[in-house]
Amino acid sequence: ELKVEQNPLFLSMQEGKNYTIYCNYSTTSDRLYWYRQDPGKSLESLFVLLSNGAVKQEGRLMASLDTKARLSTLHITAAVHDLSATYFCAVVRGKLIFGQGTELSVKP
Amino acid sequence: KAGVTQTPRYLIKTRGQQVTLSCSPISGHRSVSWYQQTPGQGLQFLFEYFSETQRNKGNFPGRFSGRQFSNSRSEMNVSTLELGDSALYLCASSPSGSWGETQYFGPGTRLLVL
């Protein structure tokens, strides 16, 4: 059974700092999604990573995929309060298998 | 383009009742997937429909069922509700359901079972 684990589950950051969220998965997959969820809201698609070595960037967020290591990272650069949300990775295995989510809080 | 819509947005039911949730995908999207989100189990895949056919199903009991209509709108039904069915139910649509397409999520239906 495919398992997707995110690390850390909770992250409190100061504005202006950098940090990385890790997404490990247990079996082969070469497609991975990152989503953002604000409290009480739905999921917003951030990135779709389609192959080994894929890297995508949008604003202060950059996502990468290493299929050999079964690892994706979401790097946050110079965090701002607006990035406070829960971030999910989801691995494709005939369906989307989600990680537990990383609750990010950016404080001034 | 209008986004994915779900109705109703909030629902309160009692144990043993049944419920039907509706999802209208983005115009032109033919794939609709359903997910259940709870604090304890997180986000879990329920099923996916494409062109009125169920293509994939998650590990949920038979009380959970769904269907898709010719206009791609989808419904999911939960019979004999249990307290543990309280959750946010999300649907997502994509043009063809192929992996690599962005999946667009609706606002969700929040179901409370008393």
Side-chain angles (χ1 to χ4, degrees):
Chain A
E1 182 188 339
L2 175 62
K3 290 188 178 179
V4 182
E5 294 186 345
Q6 290 182 231
N7 177 40
L9 299 184
F10 299 94
L11 179 54
S12 181
M13 296 177 63
Q14 279 194 307
E15 281 192 329
K17 299 291 188 182
N18 304 335
Y19 211 84
T20 300
I21 298 171
Y22 297 89
C23 174
N24 290 90
Y25 52 98
S26 59
T27 59
T28 305
S29 176
D30 61 358
R31 298 181 182 216
L32 188 142
Y33 292 74
W34 282 96
Y35 290 93
R36 168 183 172 144
Q37 186 175 39
D38 291 293
K41 299 292 179 68
S42 188
L43 295 172
E44 174 191 352
S45 179
L46 294 174
F47 302 108
V48 183
L49 302 171
L50 299 179
S51 61
N52 185 42
V55 177
K56 290 198 174 178
Q57 184 164 5
E58 180 74 33
R60 301 174 186 276
L61 301 178
M62 183 173 71
S64 66
L65 178 61
D66 181 344
T67 59
K68 293 179 183 175
R70 298 176 186 167
L71 171 69
S72 180
T73 59
L74 181 66
H75 186 72
I76 302 155
T77 302
V80 293
H81 179 68
D82 285 352
L83 290 179
S84 297
T86 299
Y87 293 85
F88 292 93
C89 63
V91 174
V92 174
R93 191 73 174 176
K95 56 192 177 186
L96 286 183
I97 310 293
F98 284 85
Q100 313 98 305
T102 296
E103 188 176 330
L104 172 65
S105 174
V106 182
K107 302 185 185 302
Chain B
K1 219 183 224 186
V4 179
T5 58
Q6 292 185 244
T7 57
R9 295 291 311 279
Y10 303 92
L11 206 48
I12 301 175
K13 292 285 188 179
T14 56
R15 278 180 299 175
Q17 288 187 307
Q18 75 166 18
V19 67
T20 299
L21 312 181
S22 180
C23 172
S24 292
I26 291 172
S27 177
H29 287 194
R30 295 167 65 193
S31 169
V32 174
S33 299
W34 288 89
Y35 298 84
Q36 181 196 64
Q37 185 176 27
T38 60
Q41 299 298 316
L43 277 154
Q44 294 184 283
F45 172 80
L46 281 156
F47 24 66
E48 187 232 349
Y49 286 88
F50 178 80
S51 291
E52 302 178 66
T53 301
Q54 187 181 89
R55 289 203 298 196
N56 213 336
K57 190 177 189 306
N59 297 325
F60 279 81
R63 300 185 297 107
F64 291 82
S65 63
R67 59 179 176 168
Q68 186 181 35
F69 302 94
S70 58
N71 61 358
S72 295
R73 189 177 70 85
S74 178
E75 288 181 347
M76 67 163 281
N77 183 275
V78 188
S79 62
T80 320
L81 283 166
E82 300 177 0
L83 295 179
D85 297 333
S86 295
L88 179 66
Y89 290 88
L90 295 164
C91 78
S93 77
S94 66
S96 66
S98 69
W99 298 114
E101 292 179 335
T102 298
Q103 294 225 329
Y104 296 88
F105 280 79
T109 293
R110 193 166 294 278
L111 171 65
L112 177 60
V113 182
L114 301 175

